[in-house]
Amino acid sequence: YKDYRVTPYCTHCETALSFSDIRESDSTRPRQDPEVVVRFKARDDLDGKPTWLLAWTTTPWTLISNLALAVGPEHAYAVVDHDGAHYILADSLLAKWARLFGGRKPRAVRTLSGADLVGRRYEPIFPAFRDLADEGYFRVLPAEFVTLEDGVGVVHCAPAFGEEDYWLCKRHGLGVRNPVDAQGRFTAEAGEFAGRHVLAANRDIIRRLKAEGALLHHGTIEHNYPHCWRCREPLIYRAMDAWYFAIDKIKDRLLAR
């Protein structure tokens, strides 16, 4: 059968690598990347006020391909009243992200569980795939991989560029949308960013987020990041289509032998 898998991908060599290639070649090394906190407008307001779901990412370029948001169903989420609107993020991270609300730890006017948020609809920031809204995209999904160690407790999901994102969206019937070609450049679906290499476009994408009022925080993070063991260029994660053997269909027969 033909399907997608998200794998490490080198845009310079134009080839996929396996996860074992990265582990065995010890090709991770420190790299500085932008970190941003952005807001997504919920379709349904809480208590009659505009309501925003916050999300954190170190790959702003993937926001063009956002198709869902993920929350931990058991986590507690705070509803913060700020500047006449409501903002939703993990309750335990309010002190960490006080800078978003004027520097003081904000007070939660309500607390919701992640399960309460599941199924809520929101508006995408970028227009590339906005026409998918009526097909079940752009909604909050439950995910066990959402932690409270990094970010704001809400994970932005672009299934074409994240392995966990891909499997989560696949389980909920959401397909892959990939506006990036084999050389790592945006295709025409990305609008004004078409033809730009995704990593080089980060700066202008952040400018666009700021101009649209979607950017709440912009900083820099240094972390270990995978690089190609051949050319030493930084890798991206990219959905690749290929043919696969449906082993599950014959698993019992194989074990019986």
Side-chain angles (χ1 to χ4, degrees):
Y1 66 99
K2 195 174 187 181
D3 203 354
Y4 287 95
R5 293 291 185 274
V6 175
T7 66
Y9 183 82
C10 178
T11 60
H12 179 267
C13 299
E14 297 185 38
T15 185
L17 288 80
S18 69
F19 288 98
S20 61
D21 282 336
I22 296 174
R23 289 193 299 269
E24 293 172 7
S25 63
D26 192 25
S27 58
T28 59
R29 58 180 59 88
R31 171 182 165 83
Q32 286 191 338
D33 278 313
E35 67 162 1
V36 297
V37 175
V38 296
R39 64 180 190 173
F40 291 86
K41 178 70 170 63
R43 283 194 174 186
D44 297 323
D45 296 338
L46 289 175
D47 303 326
K49 291 188 176 183
T51 302
W52 303 85
L53 294 151
L54 304 190
W56 172 91
T57 183
T58 59
T59 54
W61 62 270
T62 63
L63 289 167
I64 291 174
S65 308
N66 170 269
L67 296 179
L69 296 175
V71 297
E74 305 300 323
H75 299 335
Y77 289 85
V79 179
V80 174
D81 192 347
H82 180 68
D83 282 347
H86 284 155
Y87 294 84
I88 298 176
L89 70 161
D91 184 63
S92 63
L93 297 173
L94 287 181
K96 176 181 177 181
W97 291 105
R99 74 192 84 166
L100 302 179
F101 308 102
R104 293 184 179 181
K105 179 182 176 181
R107 182 179 64 87
V109 295
R110 290 176 61 180
T111 302
L112 304 170
S113 70
D116 293 329
L117 297 173
V118 170
R120 289 183 179 269
R121 308 292 296 277
Y122 67 91
E123 300 289 343
I125 296 174
F126 290 98
F129 303 110
R130 190 166 288 167
D131 59 339
L132 297 175
D134 293 333
E135 298 180 29
Y137 292 80
F138 309 118
R139 71 181 193 266
V140 179
L141 305 177
E144 298 301 324
F145 62 73
V146 178
T147 72
L148 302 177
E149 297 173 2
D150 297 312
V152 295
V154 181
V155 175
H156 128 72
C157 296
F161 305 109
E163 186 181 22
E164 290 178 321
D165 302 21
Y166 170 77
W167 288 113
L168 175 66
C169 289
K170 185 178 179 67
R171 287 197 299 272
H172 289 272
L174 306 183
V176 168
R177 296 295 186 277
N178 181 4
V180 176
D181 67 16
Q183 295 180 314
R185 299 175 303 189
F186 282 116
T187 62
E189 291 175 298
E192 66 189 280
F193 303 105
R196 302 281 304 280
H197 190 279
V198 294
L199 298 181
N202 264 335
R203 181 176 299 177
D204 288 335
I205 289 171
I206 292 170
R207 288 198 186 102
R208 172 58 61 186
L209 291 169
K210 185 175 182 180
E212 296 291 332
L215 182 69
L216 297 186
H217 166 75
H218 174 211
T220 302
I221 185 172
E222 183 169 313
H223 55 168
N224 283 330
Y225 189 87
H227 289 66
C228 179
W229 60 267
R230 300 184 185 94
C231 68
R232 307 300 182 186
E233 289 294 313
L235 301 173
I236 64 171
Y237 290 89
R238 181 171 181 261
M240 306 287 290
D241 61 333
W243 290 93
Y244 298 92
F245 289 103
I247 299 299
D248 286 346
K249 293 184 178 180
I250 59 172
K251 179 179 177 181
D252 293 340
R253 289 158 54 196
L254 290 172
L255 292 174
R257 291 176 180 268

